[in-house]
């Protein structure tokens, strides 16, 4: 530590010293030409007054040589001003050292020349020599105030011989002049030392200020870098991505190659966090960042937008196939298993693209369209790539119309419930009914549940809709046979917060309906959005006395790893497994496995989407006894007396 402090101090001192030398050199570059000019002019004047009285070599040739050397040095220093900034510290130090030596040499030469010239001429010429030496040294001291060593050396070289020489003349006037020059020189030296000290402090303060400004600029640059960087993956963050998108949009002109905005979302990442913890999730995100960086290129920039969402900016896009090929490569890279500490997880990535300028008139619209393409990919092409098209634009327009109609709807009057039977084929009777929402909009007409439920979930309106429909279902149940049970669907928003669940509990409690008559159905996709909160919510509902059913089993990611952690009573096998169930051996094996799993966990297994007697026969052979579908009855409204119990052969 001490050694480091010493090195830092030495570095700071060296930096300050080099800064002082450079500042001295800069001052020299401005003032030394003036010094040489003073020497030339004063020497020429003295030489001129001694022509004819002093020898030619002393009055003409010697001063001519000395003045020529000074003029040469004058032009050298004038030229150095141009390349001063490009000189290194070592070059500056060498130039200063040479200058000090040269000034000392010039001081000796000019002092010797003046003293040799003194004996010639009349008293006025001799007085001129004394005046020349005194005024010249004072002028030179002024020109050398930024270079203490040179100024002191020149003063000593001139004043000492000058004082001794004129003191030995025994001429009171010359002695007085010598004493006067000494006193003035002493005053000049004091002023010089004070000025030099202040100059050195000023240079040091300036260098310290520059160093502080440099440090502040470095910190500012670092803060700016961190503000635009995702610390986990090392990729640019959402802020930087949107800024780059805006800049790219503004720089793209008509006739140039277009660009595309891409949004990637990981499929199944939520399960990694829920099952293995957030530390494992971070490792997966780091690996995703590394894999995406493999695709980085001058025409492709990447960013982490937040969570498990990543962004792409693809420049010089010529056609859709280019994006599809890129998307296929990225999705393929993301599907490679992720391994850490002896654990392996399999994920996929869905990718949505929007191309400029064909599908976006602003950066915000391009990003929104890319996000919608991603949403479409996750619903219909999970693990694949979707490029935003006019078809999607029409869907957005339709969703927008439904969203506005839903926000202004009279839910009490426009929303109704239909009920579809759930049948136990072994006892040939209906054991429950599923409540299904129907909406007849005054402006749009009949809107399918698959559309308005999706809109309500995307707009955050779904909980208000669930509350209204639950109140309707409970109101109808009051007039029915107390033995009649219903199943009611809850969304991710309904179980995603303690407040929403508390609201549902209050509604059921105040309704007077026995909680045991209710079964709340939740989908796997609703659970994986926040598994811990969803589990807590289901336990709260279970404590109320209702039953819990896991809907669309087999389509999500929590199936086998999380089912044992949930307070379930039923599992509903997704209708997707029933397609070609009579001939598809794989589908039969999956259904048989789910039935066995439910039996071992003591859960009721319900198969939905049954539409034919052949399916019923095959399913019964696989061990299924509870079924639902058009074969047993279409959803329909019931009168005030409720449903009539039926038997099914």
């Amino acid at each position: 530590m001490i050694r480091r402090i010493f090195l830092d101090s030495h570095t700071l001192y060296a930096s300050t010293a080099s800064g002082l030398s450079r500042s001295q050199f800069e001052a020299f570059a401005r003032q030394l030409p003036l010094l040489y000019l003073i020497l030339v002019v004063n020497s020429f004047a003295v030489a001129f007054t001694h022509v004819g009285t002093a020898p030619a070599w002393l009055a003409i040739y010697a001063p001519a040589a000395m003045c020529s050397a000074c003029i040469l040095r004058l032009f050298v220093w004038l030229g150095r001003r141009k390349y001063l900034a490009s000189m290194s510290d070592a070059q500056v130090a060498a130039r200063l050292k040479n200058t000090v030596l040269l000034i000392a040499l010039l001081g000796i030469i000019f002092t010797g020349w003046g003293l040799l010239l003194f004996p010639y001429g009349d008293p006025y010429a001799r007085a001129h020599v004394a005046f020349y030496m005194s005024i010249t040294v004072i002028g030179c001291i002024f020109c050398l105030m930024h270079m203490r060593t040179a100024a002191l050396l020149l003063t000593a070289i001139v004043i000492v011989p000058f004082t001794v020489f004129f003191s030995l003349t025994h001429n009171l006037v010359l002695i007085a002049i010598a004493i006067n020059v000494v006193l003035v020189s002493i005053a000049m030296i004091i002023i010089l030392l004070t000025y030099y000290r202040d100059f050195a402090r000023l240079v040091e303060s300036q260098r310290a200020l520059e160093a502080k400004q440099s440090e502040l600029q470095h910190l500012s640059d670092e803060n700016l870098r961190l503000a635009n960087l995702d610390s986990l993956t090392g990729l640019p963050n959402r802020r930087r991505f949107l800024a780059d998108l805006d800049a790219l949009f503004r720089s793209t002109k008509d006739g140039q190659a277009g660009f595309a905005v891409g949004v990637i979302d990981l499929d199944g990442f939520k399960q990694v966090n829920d099952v293995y913890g957030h530390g494992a999730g971070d490792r997966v995100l780091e690996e995703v960042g590394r894999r995406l960086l493999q695709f980085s290129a001058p025409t492709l920039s990447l960013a982490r937008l937040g969570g498990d969402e990543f962004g792409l900016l693809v420049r010089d896009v010529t056609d859709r196939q280019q994006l599809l090929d890129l998307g296929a490569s990225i999705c393929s890279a993301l599907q490679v298993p992720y391994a850490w500490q002896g654990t392996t997880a399999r994920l996929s990535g869905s990718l949505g693209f929007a191309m400029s300028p064909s599908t976006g008139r602003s950066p915000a619209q391009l990003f929104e369209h890319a996000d919608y393409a991603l949403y479409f990919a996750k619903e219909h092409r999970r693990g694949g790539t979707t490029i935003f098209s006019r078809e999607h634009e029409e869907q957005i327009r339709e969703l927008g119309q439904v969203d506005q109609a839903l926000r202004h709807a009279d839910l009490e009057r426009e929303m109704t419930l239909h009920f579809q039977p759930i049948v136990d084929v072994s006892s040939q009777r209906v054991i429950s009914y599923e409540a299904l929402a129907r909406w007849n909009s005054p402006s749009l007409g009949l809107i399918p549940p698959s559309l308005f439920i999706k809109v309500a979930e995307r707009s955050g309106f779904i909980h208000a809709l669930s509350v209204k429909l639950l109140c309707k279902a409970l109101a109808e149940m009051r007039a029915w046979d107390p033995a009649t049970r219903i199943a009611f669907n809850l969304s991710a928003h309904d179980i995603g917060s303690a407040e929403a669940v508390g609201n549902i509990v209050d509604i059921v409690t105040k309704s007077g309906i026995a909680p045991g008559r209710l079964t709340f159905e939740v989908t796997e996709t609703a659970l994986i959005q926040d598994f811990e909160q969803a589990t807590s919510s289901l336990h709260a509902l279970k404590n109320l006395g209702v039953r819990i059913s896991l809907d669309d089993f087999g389509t999500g990611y929590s199936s086998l790893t999380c089912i044992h952690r949930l307070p379930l009573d039923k599992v509903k096998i997704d209708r997707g497994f029933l397609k070609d169930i009579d001939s598809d051996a794989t589908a039969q094996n999956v259904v048989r496995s789910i039935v066995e799993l439910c039996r071992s966990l003591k859960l009721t297994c319900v198969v939905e989407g049954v539409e034919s007697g052949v399916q019923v026969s095959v399913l019964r052979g696989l061990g299924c006894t509870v079924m639902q579908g058009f074969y047993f009855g279409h959803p329909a409204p019931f009168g005030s007396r409720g449903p009539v119990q039926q038997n099914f052969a």
Side-chain angles (χ1 to χ4, degrees):
M1 176 62 72
I2 295 176
R3 181 174 181 270
R4 180 177 177 182
I5 293 174
F6 172 78
L7 290 175
D8 290 344
S9 301
H10 178 73
T11 302
L12 178 61
Y13 172 79
S15 176
T16 303
S18 64
L20 178 60
S21 297
R22 188 169 290 273
S23 297
Q24 290 173 328
F25 193 83
E26 291 174 355
F28 263 18
R30 294 189 300 270
Q31 295 176 2
L32 272 186
L34 182 61
L35 181 147
Y36 288 121
L37 184 62
I38 290 173
L39 286 174
V40 169
V41 172
N42 289 358
S43 299
F44 177 80
V46 172
F48 179 78
T49 60
H50 284 75
V51 174
T53 60
W57 69 270
L58 192 59
I60 298 174
Y61 303 121
M66 293 187 300
C67 289
S68 297
C70 288
I71 292 173
L72 178 62
R73 293 296 298 175
L74 185 150
F75 284 107
V76 168
W77 276 97
L78 287 176
R80 282 178 177 172
R81 295 181 181 181
K82 299 179 181 179
Y83 57 90
L84 175 61
S86 62
M87 294 176 64
S88 66
D89 291 340
Q91 289 175 318
V92 168
R95 295 288 189 278
L96 288 176
K97 182 178 180 181
N98 293 337
T99 300
V100 171
L101 295 177
L102 184 59
I103 287 174
L105 179 62
L106 290 175
I108 294 172
I109 292 174
F110 276 90
T111 300
W113 175 71
L115 295 177
L116 291 173
L117 197 62
F118 179 79
Y120 301 96
D122 56 20
Y124 291 104
R126 294 180 179 182
H128 190 189
V129 172
F131 176 78
Y132 156 75
M133 295 184 69
S134 60
I135 197 66
T136 301
V137 73
I138 291 173
C140 290
I141 290 173
F142 267 111
C143 293
L144 296 174
M145 292 188 74
H146 296 93
M147 192 67 183
R148 180 177 57 188
T149 303
L152 292 175
L153 185 60
L154 180 64
T155 302
I157 290 173
V158 176
I159 296 301
V160 172
F162 177 88
T163 304
V164 172
F165 181 85
F166 285 105
S167 296
L168 295 176
T169 61
H170 303 293
N171 185 308
L172 292 179
V173 174
L174 295 178
I175 293 173
I177 291 175
I179 294 173
N180 206 0
V181 170
V182 169
L183 293 176
V184 171
S185 297
I186 291 173
M188 291 292 299
I189 293 299
I190 293 174
I191 294 174
L192 180 146
L193 293 175
T194 303
Y195 179 83
Y196 180 83
R197 180 193 63 198
D198 294 340
F199 174 74
R201 288 178 178 176
L202 178 62
V203 171
E204 182 180 356
S205 298
Q206 183 179 1
R207 297 298 174 181
L209 180 60
E210 290 175 354
K212 191 67 175 178
Q213 289 176 336
S214 177
E215 181 183 355
L216 291 175
Q217 184 63 45
H218 175 74
L219 291 175
S220 177
D221 294 342
E222 182 65 13
N223 288 336
L224 182 62
R225 186 185 71 85
L226 293 176
N228 290 279
L229 188 71
D230 174 59
S231 59
L232 182 63
T233 62
L235 295 173
N237 59 15
R238 185 184 189 92
R239 177 181 181 178
R240 176 63 182 274
F241 178 81
L242 294 178
D244 288 347
L245 170 58
D246 185 67
L248 182 59
F249 186 87
R250 285 187 280 106
S251 66
T252 303
K253 300 178 181 179
D254 294 339
Q256 291 184 342
F259 70 93
V261 181
V263 184
I264 304 171
D265 188 81
L266 301 180
D267 307 314
F269 177 74
K270 184 66 178 176
Q271 181 198 25
V272 173
N273 272 340
D274 292 338
V275 177
Y276 303 108
H278 290 281
D282 289 346
R283 302 291 79 74
V284 169
L285 291 175
E286 289 175 348
E287 177 61 23
V288 170
R290 283 191 288 269
R291 294 184 188 183
L292 291 178
L293 280 174
Q294 298 175 4
F295 299 91
S296 182
T299 58
L300 173 62
S301 55
L302 302 151
R304 183 188 175 201
L305 303 181
D308 59 339
E309 194 172 70
F310 295 81
L312 303 172
L313 288 177
V314 188
R315 299 166 182 81
D316 300 331
V317 176
T318 55
D319 54 40
R320 293 169 59 88
Q321 190 59 46
Q322 177 184 352
L323 293 179
L324 291 174
D325 293 341
L326 173 63
S329 299
I330 291 176
C331 292
S332 177
L334 295 179
Q335 287 176 354
V336 176
Y338 298 81
W340 71 95
Q341 297 180 352
T343 304
T344 302
R346 291 184 177 272
L347 305 176
S348 62
S350 299
L351 175 56
F353 278 116
M355 298 176 63
S356 173
S358 59
T359 57
R361 295 182 295 276
S362 69
Q365 190 178 56
L366 274 171
F367 185 79
E368 181 182 344
H369 287 174
D371 193 55
Y372 183 82
L374 169 66
Y375 173 78
F376 187 90
K378 290 182 76 68
E379 279 199 336
H380 304 91
R381 204 169 293 134
R382 187 175 290 266
T385 303
T386 297
I387 301 177
F388 189 85
S389 64
R390 292 191 178 276
E391 175 189 355
H392 300 133
E393 196 164 4
E394 293 174 0
Q395 291 176 357
I396 289 179
R397 189 179 300 110
E398 180 184 24
L399 292 175
Q401 292 175 344
V402 173
D403 180 72
Q404 289 301 311
L406 187 61
R407 291 179 184 276
H408 295 88
D410 182 350
L411 299 181
E412 181 65 34
R413 182 173 59 86
E414 298 175 25
M415 289 288 175
T416 58
L417 287 172
H418 287 198
F419 299 88
Q420 186 176 35
I422 300 173
V423 179
D424 184 343
V425 295
S426 60
S427 62
Q428 299 184 2
R429 59 186 300 274
V430 175
I431 59 173
S432 182
Y433 293 87
E434 182 177 2
L436 301 169
R438 297 294 182 267
W439 180 27
N440 188 358
S441 170
S443 58
L444 302 178
L446 289 172
I447 301 175
S450 59
L451 180 57
F452 73 76
I453 294 296
K454 177 169 63 176
V455 170
E457 288 179 336
R458 285 176 63 89
S459 63
F461 193 68
I462 188 66
H463 183 63
L465 183 59
S466 296
V467 166
K468 180 59 66 175
L469 292 172
L470 179 59
C471 289
K472 279 180 170 288
L474 294 171
E476 289 200 37
M477 290 178 68
R478 292 192 188 97
W480 296 355
D481 184 337
T484 305
R485 304 174 184 272
I486 71 163
F488 188 88
N489 290 280
L490 295 179
S491 72
H493 291 268
D494 296 322
I495 62 173
S497 73
E499 182 181 357
V501 172
N503 194 22
I504 292 173
V505 170
D506 288 342
I507 292 173
V508 175
T509 302
K510 294 176 182 179
S511 69
I513 300 297
R517 296 175 63 188
L518 282 172
T519 298
F520 283 124
E521 294 188 358
V522 294
T523 63
E524 289 186 80
T525 52
L527 292 173
I528 64 175
Q529 292 190 23
D530 190 340
F531 186 80
E532 297 301 327
Q533 176 58 48
T535 302
S536 176
S537 298
L538 295 186
H539 278 290
L541 294 173
K542 184 71 174 179
N543 292 337
L544 179 64
V546 302
R547 301 185 180 190
I548 306 296
S549 176
L550 183 60
D551 198 6
D552 298 337
F553 185 76
T555 61
Y557 293 89
S558 62
S559 303
L560 299 179
T561 55
C562 300
I563 188 172
H564 67 283
R565 299 169 57 186
L566 300 171
L568 300 177
D569 298 287
K570 297 181 181 180
V571 168
K572 295 183 75 172
I573 300 177
D574 184 71
R575 67 183 67 240
F577 292 106
L578 268 65
K579 184 180 180 181
D580 301 324
I581 189 69
D582 55 329
S583 58
D584 189 341
T586 301
Q588 292 178 14
N589 290 333
V590 171
V591 171
R592 184 184 292 108
S593 298
I594 295 175
V595 171
E596 291 297 327
L597 175 66
C598 291
R599 184 177 292 115
S600 64
L601 295 177
K602 296 181 173 54
L603 302 176
T604 300
C605 182
V606 182
V607 184
E608 60 181 349
V610 180
E611 298 182 357
S612 69
V614 174
Q615 291 176 334
V616 172
S617 178
V618 173
L619 290 171
R620 293 194 68 171
L622 297 174
C624 302
T625 58
V626 182
M627 305 179 194
Q628 177 185 352
F630 290 161
Y631 180 76
F632 304 102
H634 287 263
F638 294 138
S640 60
R641 297 181 61 186
V644 178
Q645 292 292 336
Q646 294 178 282
N647 291 329
F648 295 89

